[in-house]
Amino acid sequence: WNTIGITFNAFTSLFFLVIVNRVNGIDEAGIFSYTYSLACLFYIMALYYNRTYQVADVENEYSNNQYITNRLVTSIFTLLVVIFFSIISNFSILKVKILMFILLFRILEAISDCFHGFIQKKDKLYYVGQSLFWKAIIGIILFSFVDYMTKSIILSLLMLIVVNIIGLIVDIKKYKSLYHQKFSFIFDKSISLFKITFPVFVFSFLAIYLNNCQKYVMEYILDEKYQTILGIIVMPATMLSLCGQYLINPYINELSCDYYNKEYEKFRKTFYKIGLEFILLGIIILILAFLLGIPILNIIYSIDLDPYKISFLIIIIGAILYALGNIISSCLTILRKNKQQLYIYTISSAFSTIISWFLIRKYDIEGASYAYIITTLVHFILSFSLLKTCLNKKIRSNL
């Protein structure tokens, strides 16, 4: 269920882009693609700390109510930040509306994610998968129907907001059935929780920036139609990078216990097992992408993407490296190596911005693919080196 739920949840953005491209046209699809990636970046601000950190708190250093309180605070703060950002960005009215509506439904997802973390701690990860699955399915159906009937992206997004409100209510009921405790706002340790998870927030924020950097840079260089083309060829790669998430999620409890019990050798073996599984999956997907990827995308989006086949395959390889980096990041979070990750993500993001600006200006879409694979390779090498060093030190200290 975890695999099914995360997969369908990840693929919703793919379906949304297909629908908008066919119903609303390539220019509005470009706006939607860019604002969706921008909302994903601000979504991390609403999350602040990720679920890995929350589930890994096996000693319950912070109470459930503390986590919920902080998540509500970050969600409200994010909404205010995006309103301010929209005012100073000189976006069109349509772009501002789409961004705000996407953000609203993503903020509801962020609040649900907090409750999903507590449900996962009770070894009910299957429920989390079911929740994600049904919200994705119902959301896609309603979004498609409303957009087809009204040709309005705004009304279609409103349906997603309604679905996520209902989903949040159901998640809260499930949480209450497991913990039997009444919610109350707790601010006593809020500053402490914000402070200790700040590195987690920053490197999670930079991780999303890293994966979408080329889109953000392209907004200032090329026309909206290029956003649509890049969004289309990057979308399958984005799905692949999220596959790493559903491979690592079932192991978070186990890895956290291994760390807590100082079973570092077992921790390392589990990591290599997950990594090998994902590499094999990535090779299979790369072969399928080479044989079928572009022809299928041509049919789905009704756009000639044949000139971008090489760029598409380069991005797929980059996505494999990015996903491996995410798996490593989850392991480093469990090991509480958050400040070190902050340095790695800062270096990678700065490097990505510079190289993307140079290559996109010179080679357009091809330049974006070159920048993506170079960036993900550099990031993977830095992250893997850190994890390997940390585990070797832990294992030697345990002898």
Side-chain angles (χ1 to χ4, degrees), residues 233 286 289-290 294 305-318 365-370 373:
I233 64 175
L286 182 61
F290 176 77
I294 292 298
L305 298 170
D306 289 338
Y308 306 105
K309 183 173 182 178
I310 300 300
S311 296
F312 173 66
L313 294 174
I314 289 173
I315 287 172
I316 291 290
I317 297 171
I365 297 291
E366 278 188 31
S369 66
Y370 298 150
I373 193 171

Side-chain angles (χ1 to χ4, degrees), residues 289-352:
F290 176 77
L291 297 173
L292 304 171
I294 292 298
I296 291 176
L297 291 176
N298 284 340
I299 294 170
I300 292 174
Y301 290 95
S302 191
I303 297 177
D304 181 17
L305 298 170
D306 289 338
Y308 306 105
K309 183 173 182 178
I310 300 300
S311 296
F312 173 66
L313 294 174
I314 289 173
I315 287 172
I316 291 290
I317 297 171
I320 295 171
L321 293 169
Y322 178 79
L324 288 170
N326 282 346
I327 292 171
I328 293 170
S329 178
S330 292
C331 292
L332 288 168
T333 300
I334 294 170
L335 294 174
R336 295 297 194 260
K337 298 300 178 181
N338 298 324
K339 289 184 179 179
Q340 292 87 337
Q341 287 195 82
L342 175 57
Y343 301 144
I344 288 175
Y345 275 101
T346 302
I347 293 169
S348 300
S349 297
F351 174 76
S352 180

